[in-house]
Amino acid sequence: MSSNKKYWKSVEELNENSSVVETLQQKEFAEEIPVDEFLGDKSSLESSKTSRRDFLKYVGFSTAAASLAACEGPVVKSIPYVVQPDRIVPGVANYYASTIADGFDFASVLVKTREGRPIKIENNEMSKFKGGVNARVHASVLSLYDTKRVKRPMIEGRNVSWEEFDREVGAALQNANGEIVLLTQTFASPSTSKIIQEFSQKFGNVRHVVYDTVSEDAALNAFQSKYGKRALPNFDFSKAEVIVGVGADFLADWYGGGFDAGYAKTRIPENGKMSRHVQFESNMSLTGANADKRVPATPSQQKAIMKALRSYVTGASSTSDLPANIDDVVVKAASQLRKAGSGAVVACGLPDEDAQTWALEINEALGSQVMDTANARMIRQGNASEVAKLVEDMNNGSVGALLIAGLNPVHTLPNAIQFVEGLSNVETVVDFTTRADETSKVSKYVAATPHYLESWGDIQFSERSFALMQPTIKPLFDTRQFQDTLLRWSDNNQSYYEYMKETWSGSLGGNSWSRMLHDGVFEGTSPVEIASETGVSSLKYSIDEQTGDGFELMLYTSTALGDGQQANNPWLQEMPDPITRASWDNYLLISKADAEALDLENYHVANGGLNGSYVNIRLGDTLVENVPVIIQPGQAKGSVGLALGYGRKEGLKDKMQTGVNAYPLYKDFRSVQNVKIEKAAGVHEFACVQLHNTLMGRGDIIKETTLEIFNTKDSHVWNSTPEVSLNHIETPVTSPEVDIWDSFDRSTGPHFNLSIDLNACTGCGACVIACHSENNVPVVGKDEVRRSRDMHWLRIDRYYSSEDTFGDDLEKKENIGGLGSSLSEFGELEEPADNPQVVFQPVMCQHCNHAPCETVCPVAATSHGRQGQNQMIYNRCVGTRYCANNCPYKVRRFNWFSYARNDEFDYYMNNDLGRMVLNPDVTVRARGVMEKCSMCIQKTQKTILDAKREGRTIKDGEFQTACSAACDKGAIVFGDVNNEGAKILEKKNDDRMYHLLEYVGTKPNVMYQTKVRNTTEA
Amino acid sequence: MKKVNFRHSTSRKLLFSVAFLFTFSVFGLAQNDAAQDTTATEQAASGDEGASAAAGSDLGDPAAGKELFNSLCAACHKPYSESIGPALNGVTDRHDMQWIQQWISNSAAMIASGDPEAVAIYEEYNQTAMPAFPQLSDSDIGDILAYVEQPKPEPQAATASAGAGAEGTGEGGGVSVNVILGILVFVLAALMLVLFLVNKTLRNFADASGIVIPEKPKRKPIYKAFVENQFLVLVTSVIVLLAVGYFAYGWMMQVGVDKGYQPIQPIHYSHRIHAGDNQIECKYCHSSARTSKHSGIPSLNVCMNCHKSIAEVAPETATEDYSKEFYDKEIAKLYDAVGWDPATRTYSGEEKPVKWVRIHNLPDLAYFNHSQHVSVGNIQCQECHGPIQEMEVVYQHAPLTMGWCINCHRETNIRIEGNEYYEKIHAELSKKYGVEELTVAQMGGIECGKCHY
């Protein structure tokens, strides 16, 4: 069943004549070592001044010098504390609960610190406000050690003390000639609101404008006019049975994100049941990729779909003017929604108030338990119309002072040019920032603010869910929190911490302050009345105006960079996009048909790198030039996509200045625009890993089935064990008779296994960053990634498959049963590259019990442990790379260069600040050695040692790897299979369990759970 | 900075044996001198004690007083300098005997009653109340006073202070052998001289009596014969090459092995005094060895737990090599680093972290966890760190090579008693291997990935 489905990683692979694909299937490294380049030219060799004799002299001398120098060991100094804090024991990690709230990402986190420095971010399991600890949040610990941070207060670029700063700005505010405006991010903080209220009382003429870089204005407006609160509905997808998404990327950043953990719970088939997810969208998003049924539709079609859906669900009408194929899906979706009733939910992500209102109405009409309007989300409070008004006021000179906090409007405002013009009319501009960005460059006063890991704060996620932010390290630089500064300027001598504690003193309920700080999260009610200053945004959002003869552009936020705040974070830059698998870039996504019409192309060059054309995008007078193009399978025809958050130039290291700035296209904060696209000259070189490490033509790496087959057929039908012929009898490869290896005895002590559930994995990439952070995985940069030299120990492969290659495919049957008129359209729709199905498959070292890498190592640098781990000994490795060549899963990574302490790799390991994030328990690998996933042996060893020291046995769930701990979806489960009753044992005995390329006979300790799609249509 | 004691053992032996030949006579003399010195100091010390005992006798028995003082008073008082309470030497001059007895038996009552002297002392010492000692009889108090009123002993003979450098301590044992060998060599030399003289005399006699000693036929020089004998040359060169190879290998294998590494530390901290003489438990200071991978260099506040009231060493702590002044100066260095003013007994807040020189340097590629060995395995610190309680200056005792680690893992049994973690594993494994006691290696303790990741 599953084996006759064809999987492919790139459009290139569908081209049968592609020589690159052929080469890559034969060789791991497509590029030859360029020996001819430096030895081939005889004349230059002979004319060289360095003779062979000289060369030998140098070699001799340097060898002698090196060996002489090596005889004397270096003197190492150890400097203990003078007075050691009680809580710090060198070598033992401490954990603190805190909260990230940077205006875009809001999540309760657990911060791991070693010797007083934060080194890793983890999920806070106590948080009821689940999820949200995504790749960016995991990576945020590295942004703390960013060398480009603002280090001290500055006036006109001059370093000053805080006293002088307070004096000067205080005087300027007192004498402000006009309004004082606070332009801030969404703080969602009761105490901060209170401080701003007090600050307003002190100065009188203060206006507070909240600006979300990526706006949810349309949804906020719709919710406000329906429920009277400026907030967003909350969703608990774990209660969902039928989910219909219309342009809503709810597994990513929709409504502030953090819904994926709940969603994943419903995706694991239990008692024959799982949720059904239908997605209508233009860009291929994470959400669409995980859907059971994905229908590509342009944004304007999506609005029509919402309209039709509403009338079908409420029974107002039974016809629509949608194309028949789409209408068919909508009709079925509506009937499924009605049937599911309270377990049904519709999610809409269109920047259109009508559509947003309809979504609320549909969910109300269904009586959806999934949507929660009573405990609404407070983490988006921006008001675009007020921002627009502010820019106007600045230009007509009525603003005397502008205080900007946590934002970079000069870069992110669509009308940044007017804003900068307006700034020249404002006498006093204070920028509260952590980064030296475009805005701080044009601001007279720059107030250096600390990173969230150095700050205090209280966060209101939703009306009843709160969290506390606490510092986990002393401020690295001479910084002061925005709130502390405002308190000072309001003549309040309290610190923000004291102020916050006092604010909450009456509202603690039964909790103690210490308890709350320890947990990091609590339920309660806000002690601060939010002033009703926020009226409905006067901007009306409708995408009807956006239709025209151009392309419908859907602006989105990428999984890696989000709104672009952490653009100077190399972990995020190097993280491949889950869908396109391209790193270090943003690009225009376009459908194959449109690309052909515009003569745009993507092709792979000989070394496996992807090249693409450039386009210019025109929106009215705005022109964004030289945007590289990626042809995206599944992109709706007539629509294009482009990620926000890239293209920043200020406050970034040279190599981090990637992509193009899409914010100028974000006109009136609408994520849907009608644009004109024309081809531009040149070829763009992508750092795209999708064709890397191909599986030597072993395309049957994934097992997949439908819910119907899963429920009705025996497991060997949809999850068959490969068989080999033994004495002319077909024998399963798992049976010991066909095994030519002797097995280790692993019955004693722990035997680790890792299970990955393809149904629960959404491809979000949190595990990739968690692995980076735990294991000191180096960042290699765009050029090296392009050469297949990325160092990710854990990659998330993305495979496309096309429905028409399914043997007895249900979809196809319907296709034939459809209306004659839509046949041609349907046929087109079902063309492989037009609407593929997507599977994500995280792959790390499979820790084979019969590992092919171990047998080929000439120096025994990789060997097998009794606990099931395939161990890689760096100091023994001489770098032959035989193991990588012999690995069927292509998970071994070679250190082509020294990535630490090397200024050629100016990311983070080359400076003292960046190196503070390194995990002291894991070796930083040297040049010329292989490395790979160790199954976090440092973590398992620590768990074992703790148990030994305390003289107890180990409970299930104690063993964790970085990836399993990072996966809040429960897709990655780790544990000891020798522990009876362990969850991992359950997974191992599950019917859905299979091993990658089982017929190779490697007997991996990593297993996968077959992907099941819910194709039930009525 | 770096001083390695036992490094070039072969070359050292060679040198030593050459030096040995030249130094018989000198050695003998030096030894005699040293012996005389020690006896002199011993005599001086015993003389001191005798004198002081005599001086204190009118108040009571100073020996009994010393015992009482050490058990009851020493926590807060010192005889000759201020501590938490005042210095006690001279107290009989400052107060009369009855007042002292009253104060000791119940000082709080005296302060309460408003005795001006008592109140003054109470105020002077930060209103720290002295506990009452009603159990002390007047004669006990007399004994204590007799002890504290002894005149401050003069610092011991200055002979030791000169040797404060780091002269090696290794030459001890072979003295008598050297003397015997010296005599033997002398006898041999005398014999040779006699032989030579006899020979000469005989020749003279022969000359005189006209006897012609027949000339021996000239033989080939031995080196020529050797060179011509190809077999011998071959064998010799093979032996020479093997020897060179053997020693070169030995020399190269010790590159990077810093056994005996004994750097000079910024503060001369003596483990001999702390762990040896005073028997302070290792993990009192190196507390993180119990829970962490690091044994931890104690932070200075740990030192101050004791050194707040120990500003100087006892006179008997001083050795030949290190005088009392030397040690006191080192304690002063600690005070300087931690910002403690012993005069006012306050912290100045000015801290200067001490830059110790790390002795045991495992490479980054090897993971070692102290708590695993100390808490779980219950291995004594001395197993790896050597006789630390005897080390005046710490040196690296073990080679810290992988072979050394593995060897121990092969020989050491797991300590399973009372550890629930091992119960099941031990039962299964001991059945598998058919043994009662399991070694670390049998538990998987020599797998590469257990220490290298």
Side-chain angles (χ1 to χ4, degrees):
Chain A
M1 174 60 45
S2 49
S3 59
N4 52 10
K5 197 166 176 179
K6 185 187 176 193
Y7 290 99
W8 41 282
K9 302 172 100 183
S10 151
V11 185
E12 188 84 14
E13 283 179 75
L14 296 177
N15 176 4
E16 284 170 15
N17 304 321
S18 170
S19 59
V20 180
V21 174
E22 182 63 29
T23 320
L24 282 168
Q25 283 183 354
Q26 301 302 330
K27 289 181 184 169
E28 185 184 12
F29 299 102
E31 214 173 0
E32 296 288 348
I33 295 170
V35 182
D36 286 348
E37 221 170 89
F38 58 86
L39 288 181
D41 190 352
K42 210 160 187 188
S43 62
S44 73
L45 269 185
E46 278 164 0
S47 65
S48 167
K49 274 189 187 156
T50 316
S51 66
R52 184 195 308 243
R53 209 170 258 256
D54 284 339
F55 175 73
L56 287 173
K57 272 186 222 163
Y58 297 143
V59 169
F61 175 76
S62 39
T63 315
S67 40
L68 274 175
C71 297
E72 195 69 11
V75 173
V76 184
K77 296 281 173 73
S78 288
I79 307 173
Y81 286 98
V82 171
V83 178
Q84 185 169 324
D86 330 336
R87 277 185 222 95
I88 292 181
V89 178
V92 178
N94 289 334
Y95 290 82
Y96 298 95
S98 189
T99 306
I100 182 171
D102 63 6
F104 190 72
D105 286 308
F106 290 81
S108 176
V109 296
L110 209 56
V111 185
K112 177 187 183 185
T113 69
R114 268 291 295 269
E115 282 87 53
R117 56 198 167 82
I119 58 167
K120 194 165 182 299
I121 304 290
E122 286 177 10
N123 279 305
N124 183 1
E125 299 287 340
M126 296 184 96
S127 174
K128 288 210 178 68
F129 189 82
K130 275 285 174 208
V133 185
N134 54 28
R136 291 186 300 272
V137 178
H138 279 287
S140 63
V141 65
L142 184 55
S143 295
L144 168 69
Y145 304 114
D146 187 347
T147 50
K148 292 282 182 181
R149 278 180 57 188
V150 184
K151 298 182 176 68
R152 52 191 67 81
M154 291 186 289
I155 299 177
E156 289 169 332
R158 176 169 55 87
N159 292 337
V160 294
S161 67
W162 279 106
E163 291 74 36
E164 190 183 344
F165 191 81
D166 286 346
R167 209 170 40 243
E168 294 233 351
V169 182
L173 287 180
Q174 288 296 344
N175 306 326
N177 184 21
E179 243 185 328
I180 299 173
V181 180
L182 289 167
L183 177 65
T184 71
Q185 62 170 80
T186 299
F187 280 112
S189 157
S191 300
T192 308
S193 303
K194 202 174 152 203
I195 289 175
I196 290 173
Q197 283 165 21
E198 285 181 12
F199 180 77
S200 310
Q201 275 159 21
K202 165 126 201 294
F203 286 94
N205 53 347
V206 177
R207 179 151 54 115
H208 181 203
V209 177
V210 183
Y211 161 43
D212 288 329
T213 307
V214 179
S215 172
E216 291 285 356
D217 237 25
L220 284 165
N221 282 355
F223 192 83
Q224 194 173 5
S225 33
K226 197 162 164 54
Y227 297 100
K229 289 180 286 196
R230 194 162 177 81
L232 293 169
N234 211 348
F235 290 86
D236 180 2
F237 281 95
S238 64
K239 294 176 185 160
E241 288 162 35
V242 176
I243 304 160
V244 175
V246 182
D249 192 4
F250 58 81
L251 297 184
D253 304 321
W254 178 74
Y255 285 5
F259 300 113
D260 42 355
Y263 171 82
K265 271 197 198 129
T266 70
R267 302 297 292 166
I268 301 171
E270 238 173 284
N271 308 325
K273 271 186 174 171
M274 65 182 276
S275 66
R276 161 88 172 155
H277 175 193
V278 183
Q279 181 82 0
F280 302 90
E281 61 178 12
S282 58
N283 300 343
M284 173 70 93
S285 72
L286 263 190
T287 315
N290 282 291
D292 294 312
K293 172 90 185 164
R294 178 184 179 274
V295 179
T298 62
S300 55
Q301 278 175 327
Q302 287 170 31
K303 188 170 178 187
I305 289 166
M306 276 306 296
K307 197 173 177 183
L309 201 59
R310 183 180 67 136
S311 50
Y312 294 158
V313 169
T314 55
S317 154
S318 58
T319 53
S320 72
D321 43 10
L322 284 167
N325 62 329
I326 296 181
D327 191 53
D328 181 49
V329 183
V330 178
V331 168
K332 282 173 181 158
S335 81
Q336 280 184 316
L337 280 172
R338 271 207 308 274
K339 212 163 109 187
S342 67
V345 68
V346 174
C348 174
L350 293 172
D352 184 294
E353 277 172 45
D354 292 337
Q356 291 286 350
T357 313
W358 294 337
L360 293 172
E361 283 170 5
I362 295 171
N363 288 333
E364 285 235 312
L366 291 164
S368 173
Q369 296 281 310
V370 182
M371 186 172 79
D372 182 3
T373 53
N375 186 16
R377 296 188 145 213
M378 307 298 285
I379 54 177
R380 288 288 186 278
Q381 287 164 8
N383 193 324
S385 64
E386 287 188 16
V387 178
K389 186 162 175 297
L390 171 67
V391 177
E392 253 172 57
D393 290 347
M394 281 162 62
N395 276 301
N396 63 35
S398 66
V399 177
L402 181 66
L403 277 56
I404 307 166
L407 294 167
N408 184 13
V410 176
H411 173 72
T412 59
L413 271 179
N415 51 345
I417 299 166
Q418 281 101 304
F419 182 78
V420 174
E421 276 168 18
L423 275 181
S424 57
N425 296 332
V426 183
E427 216 174 312
T428 311
V429 181
V430 189
D431 185 25
F432 293 84
T433 182
T434 57
R435 300 169 295 271
D437 53 21
E438 282 85 353
T439 310
S440 65
K441 215 179 164 196
V442 297
S443 303
K444 186 173 175 192
Y445 303 100
V446 178
T449 52
H451 187 258
Y452 83 92
L453 292 172
E454 306 164 323
S455 307
W456 286 103
D458 54 345
I459 313 302
Q460 183 173 22
F461 288 137
S462 65
E463 282 178 275
R464 291 197 300 275
S465 293
F466 295 85
L468 291 179
M469 182 193 285
Q470 63 174 323
T472 52
I473 187 172
K474 227 176 166 182
L476 294 166
F477 306 115
D478 188 11
T479 54
R480 195 167 75 188
Q481 273 186 263
F482 170 67
Q483 290 89 344
D484 271 318
T485 307
L486 275 200
L487 279 172
R488 205 63 51 85
W489 294 349
S490 319
D491 299 329
N492 189 333
N493 283 326
Q494 272 180 315
S495 69
Y496 179 48
Y497 167 66
E498 290 157 358
Y499 186 89
M500 188 172 84
K501 210 171 156 184
E502 199 181 285
T503 307
W504 279 99
S505 58
S507 317
L508 288 175
N511 296 322
S512 76
W513 177 256
S514 308
R515 184 83 230 163
M516 276 155 58
L517 212 52
H518 169 268
D519 295 354
V521 286
F522 57 97
E523 301 281 297
T525 47
S526 173
V528 180
E529 278 294 314
I530 307 284
S532 53
E533 54 189 313
T534 45
V536 181
S537 174
S538 61
L539 278 180
K540 281 288 163 242
Y541 288 89
S542 170
I543 55 171
D544 298 342
E545 307 147 21
Q546 309 297 336
T547 46
D549 52 353
F551 282 93
E552 290 185 39
L553 168 70
M554 181 86 182
L555 293 163
Y556 69 101
T557 50
S558 77
T559 310
L561 282 197
D563 69 345
Q565 286 187 57
Q566 295 192 59
N568 203 26
N569 191 320
W571 287 348
L572 291 175
Q573 289 275 10
E574 189 146 301
M575 186 180 112
D577 185 89
I579 306 286
T580 63
R581 306 282 285 131
S583 58
W584 295 95
D585 255 324
N586 69 340
Y587 30 73
L588 189 80
L589 299 168
I590 195 165
S591 69
K592 197 170 185 211
D594 291 332
E596 272 163 14
L598 286 168
D599 193 26
L600 304 174
E601 53 178 356
N602 273 170
Y603 55 93
H604 286 272
V605 290
N607 67 0
L610 178 74
N611 283 5
S613 314
Y614 281 115
V615 293
N616 295 337
I617 306 174
R618 191 181 293 281
L619 169 68
D621 302 334
T622 316
L623 179 71
V624 177
E625 285 183 304
N626 287 336
V627 184
V629 170
I630 280 193
I631 298 170
Q632 174 63 51
Q635 180 79 27
K637 258 171 253 157
S639 75
V640 289
L642 181 61
L644 296 164
Y646 284 83
R648 184 145 69 87
K649 297 278 180 241
E650 293 294 331
L652 294 184
K653 288 183 175 175
D654 290 348
K655 286 182 178 165
M656 246 72 91
Q657 295 174 12
T658 55
V660 293
N661 183 8
Y663 279 112
L665 299 171
Y666 194 44
K667 206 172 142 203
D668 296 331
F669 304 100
R670 288 174 167 89
S671 55
V672 175
Q673 302 284 351
N674 198 283
V675 294
K676 297 266 189 309
I677 288 171
E678 63 208 35
K679 189 178 177 178
V683 172
H684 186 79
E685 296 190 337
F686 287 102
C688 179
V689 297
Q690 69 180 357
L691 257 193
H692 290 175
N693 302 311
T694 65
L695 293 149
M696 313 298 175
R698 291 160 177 166
D700 50 350
I701 189 145
I702 287 199
K703 287 192 181 173
E704 185 182 337
T705 187
T706 64
L707 186 64
E708 194 191 344
I709 296 166
F710 174 72
N711 282 340
T712 51
K713 304 253 169 72
D714 206 47
S715 72
H716 70 255
V717 176
W718 48 268
N719 185 13
S720 59
T721 309
E723 290 176 336
V724 287
S725 181
L726 180 73
N727 302 330
H728 306 290
I729 302 162
E730 293 294 309
T731 321
V733 287
T734 44
S735 68
E737 294 90 70
V738 298
D739 211 335
I740 59 166
W741 300 75
D742 288 329
S743 257
F744 295 92
D745 177 17
R746 283 187 204 78
S747 54
T748 318
H751 177 199
F752 299 120
N753 268 206
L754 184 79
S755 161
I756 298 170
D757 195 326
L758 299 186
N759 262 43
C761 175
T762 64
C764 70
C767 50
V768 176
I769 300 293
C771 176
H772 256 70
S773 150
E774 172 71 30
N775 292 305
N776 303 336
V777 177
V779 168
V780 297
K782 187 174 177 180
D783 292 346
E784 294 295 305
V785 172
R786 190 174 154 82
R787 280 170 215 260
S788 321
R789 291 175 182 173
D790 61 298
M791 298 298 285
H792 297 101
W793 283 10
L794 164 57
R795 63 172 196 263
I796 304 181
D797 281 333
R798 181 268 298 119
Y799 294 98
Y800 293 131
S801 65
S802 311
E803 289 170 315
D804 63 353
T805 44
F806 238 121
D808 51 352
D809 193 45
L810 291 165
E811 306 289 322
K812 203 160 187 175
K813 262 191 218 162
E814 268 170 71
N815 196 355
I816 299 159
L819 289 165
S821 60
S822 65
L823 258 181
S824 58
E825 214 171 326
F826 233 129
E828 226 175 296
L829 184 82
E830 302 297 344
E831 184 149 318
D834 277 0
N835 187 23
Q837 287 185 342
V838 185
V839 188
F840 294 109
Q841 180 173 255
V843 182
M844 66 288 282
C845 174
Q846 301 290 303
H847 294 275
C848 313
N849 285 334
H850 298 160
C853 53
E854 288 167 16
T855 49
V856 294
C857 181
V859 293
T862 183
S863 61
H864 214 79
R866 198 182 288 166
Q867 299 173 342
Q869 281 142 326
N870 171 266
Q871 302 165 343
M872 178 70 222
I873 314 305
Y874 310 123
N875 44 311
R876 190 148 191 163
C877 177
V878 295
T880 62
R881 293 185 281 136
Y882 293 168
C883 52
N885 284 306
N886 213 31
C887 173
Y889 308 105
K890 298 295 152 226
V891 289
R892 288 180 159 265
R893 300 286 178 263
F894 186 64
N895 282 273
W896 291 90
F897 297 96
S898 168
Y899 299 110
R901 294 173 185 268
N902 182 351
D903 282 337
E904 291 295 314
F905 296 90
D906 184 16
Y907 303 110
Y908 72 102
M909 283 201 204
N910 69 332
N911 59 70
D912 283 343
L913 201 57
R915 273 198 297 273
M916 282 170 76
V917 85
L918 293 178
N919 182 356
D921 288 339
V922 177
T923 317
V924 174
R925 279 76 63 185
R927 179 176 60 180
V929 303
M930 252 320 153
E931 63 180 64
K932 62 159 195 75
C933 161
S934 66
M935 235 179 201
C936 284
I937 190 165
Q938 71 279 6
K939 285 175 82 90
T940 57
Q941 283 295 93
K942 185 193 175 282
T943 308
I944 291 173
L945 178 55
D946 286 349
K948 280 180 186 170
R949 208 167 43 225
E950 289 155 28
R952 59 178 171 84
T953 52
I954 295 169
K955 288 192 293 290
D956 185 35
E958 276 192 74
F959 285 122
Q960 288 286 354
T961 58
C963 53
S964 70
C967 188
D968 53 359
K969 286 123 209 128
I972 305 182
V973 175
F974 182 70
D976 169 14
V977 284
N978 284 346
N979 182 359
E980 283 157 41
K983 200 172 167 197
I984 190 74
L985 197 61
E986 207 178 288
K987 292 275 180 191
K988 196 179 182 182
N989 298 327
D990 198 296
D991 276 350
R992 288 200 292 138
M993 193 281 288
Y994 73 97
H995 289 120
L996 280 199
L997 307 179
E998 202 154 21
Y999 54 83
V1000 189
T1002 50
K1003 303 259 162 83
N1005 282 317
V1006 177
M1007 58 193 144
Y1008 291 81
Q1009 309 292 332
T1010 307
K1011 172 111 181 161
V1012 179
R1013 273 180 212 279
N1014 187 351
T1015 51
T1016 333
E1017 293 235 311
Chain B
M1 229 19 180
K2 184 167 156 157
K3 186 178 165 229
V4 174
N5 264 355
F6 310 128
R7 193 182 250 185
H8 312 290
S9 50
T10 40
S11 51
R12 278 177 66 88
K13 272 177 201 156
L14 263 172
L15 261 175
F16 187 74
S17 46
V18 173
F20 178 73
L21 283 171
F22 286 100
T23 47
F24 301 116
S25 49
V26 191
F27 258 121
L29 288 173
Q31 284 305 324
N32 289 341
D33 284 351
Q36 277 162 12
D37 280 353
T38 23
T39 43
T41 26
E42 271 163 17
Q43 279 165 1
S46 57
D48 270 359
E49 258 173 39
S52 54
S57 56
D58 55 329
L59 286 161
D61 175 16
K66 186 181 180 185
E67 215 164 273
L68 282 168
F69 179 86
N70 282 344
S71 64
L72 296 173
C73 319
C76 302
H77 289 283
K78 290 178 190 169
Y80 308 109
S81 61
E82 290 206 345
S83 177
I84 294 168
L88 293 183
N89 189 284
V91 70
T92 46
D93 301 339
R94 298 196 292 267
H95 307 285
D96 61 54
M97 199 63 192
Q98 204 197 342
W99 187 91
I100 294 173
Q101 285 164 353
Q102 212 180 334
W103 171 269
I104 291 174
S105 69
N106 193 351
S107 65
M110 274 181 96
I111 296 161
S113 71
D115 182 288
E117 281 180 63
V119 172
I121 291 175
Y122 182 61
E123 292 298 329
E124 191 185 342
Y125 288 91
N126 299 325
Q127 306 195 333
T128 314
M130 175 170 145
F133 295 98
Q135 74 272 31
L136 289 177
S137 68
D138 288 355
S139 72
D140 289 339
I141 293 173
D143 290 346
I144 293 171
L145 290 175
Y147 169 66
V148 299
E149 287 296 0
Q150 287 173 10
K152 189 174 184 176
E154 288 304 305
Q156 295 213 354
T159 45
S161 65
E167 193 58 45
T169 49
E171 324 290 347
V175 177
S176 53
V177 182
N178 281 348
V179 173
I180 294 163
L181 281 174
I183 295 164
L184 267 177
V185 169
F186 179 75
V187 170
L188 278 174
L191 270 174
M192 273 171 77
L193 188 71
V194 168
L195 268 175
F196 179 73
L197 289 176
V198 167
N199 194 355
K200 203 177 169 190
T201 321
L202 283 174
R203 274 175 196 276
N204 285 345
F205 273 119
D207 275 353
S209 46
I211 300 166
V212 179
I213 301 162
E215 281 284 312
K216 278 182 194 162
K218 219 171 184 171
R219 288 170 64 183
K220 233 187 224 171
I222 189 135
Y223 67 92
K224 254 189 188 163
F226 177 78
V227 171
E228 277 167 16
N229 188 337
Q230 284 196 347
F231 175 73
L232 257 182
V233 171
L234 191 73
V235 168
T236 321
S237 38
V238 165
I239 288 169
V240 166
L241 278 175
L242 281 175
V244 167
Y246 176 78
F247 287 111
Y249 178 79
W251 180 79
M252 280 192 276
M253 285 314 281
Q254 57 81 43
V255 170
V257 176
D258 293 333
K259 186 171 170 174
Y261 178 41
Q262 190 175 32
I264 296 158
Q265 301 288 0
I267 295 180
H268 179 96
Y269 172 87
S270 169
H271 277 84
R272 175 186 64 79
I273 297 174
H274 292 83
D277 296 353
N278 292 316
Q279 304 201 337
I280 300 171
E281 156 72 24
C282 302
K283 283 165 278 181
Y284 175 76
C285 304
H286 298 284
S287 59
S288 56
R290 276 184 284 238
T291 52
S292 169
K293 71 183 212 185
H294 300 295
S295 64
I297 299 174
S299 59
L300 298 184
N301 61 333
V302 175
C303 308
M304 291 305 287
N305 285 350
C306 301
H307 277 285
K308 226 171 173 175
S309 43
I310 304 174
E312 53 185 347
V313 298
E316 53 273 25
T317 311
T319 61
E320 265 179 68
D321 297 329
Y322 303 102
S323 65
K324 177 173 150 50
E325 287 76 39
F326 174 78
Y327 284 124
D328 291 349
K329 230 162 65 199
E330 297 302 313
I331 297 176
K333 279 192 199 168
L334 162 70
Y335 288 164
D336 182 49
V338 80
W340 168 260
D341 185 349
T344 58
R345 301 188 51 78
T346 50
Y347 287 103
S348 66
E350 216 177 289
E351 295 169 351
K352 297 176 203 146
V354 183
K355 295 178 181 169
W356 301 101
V357 181
R358 191 173 168 151
I359 299 166
H360 301 87
N361 288 300
L362 268 192
D364 284 352
L365 50 90
Y367 181 88
F368 176 83
N369 194 311
H370 269 95
S371 73
Q372 164 84 62
H373 295 82
V374 172
S375 296
V376 181
N378 209 10
I379 305 285
Q380 289 307 304
C381 305
Q382 282 82 351
E383 295 259 330
C384 306
H385 292 288
I388 204 91
Q389 69 283 1
E390 291 162 16
M391 293 184 195
E392 183 64 35
V393 179
V394 176
Y395 56 86
Q396 184 177 325
H397 169 78
L400 299 188
T401 55
M402 188 168 114
W404 173 78
C405 293
I406 293 274
N407 207 32
C408 191
H409 279 196
R410 285 204 174 110
E411 289 166 355
T412 313
N413 288 335
I414 306 263
R415 198 177 68 98
I416 52 154
E417 298 82 34
N419 196 333
E420 201 190 328
Y421 175 83
Y422 287 117
E423 268 174 26
K424 191 176 155 209
I425 300 170
H426 180 258
E428 286 170 3
L429 274 184
S430 52
K431 209 167 102 191
K432 178 177 166 188
Y433 292 116
V435 285
E436 214 23 71
E437 294 269 276
L438 282 169
T439 64
V440 179
Q442 283 166 327
M443 277 282 292
I446 53 171
E447 282 178 7
C448 311
K450 292 288 169 71
C451 309
H452 301 293
Y453 45 77

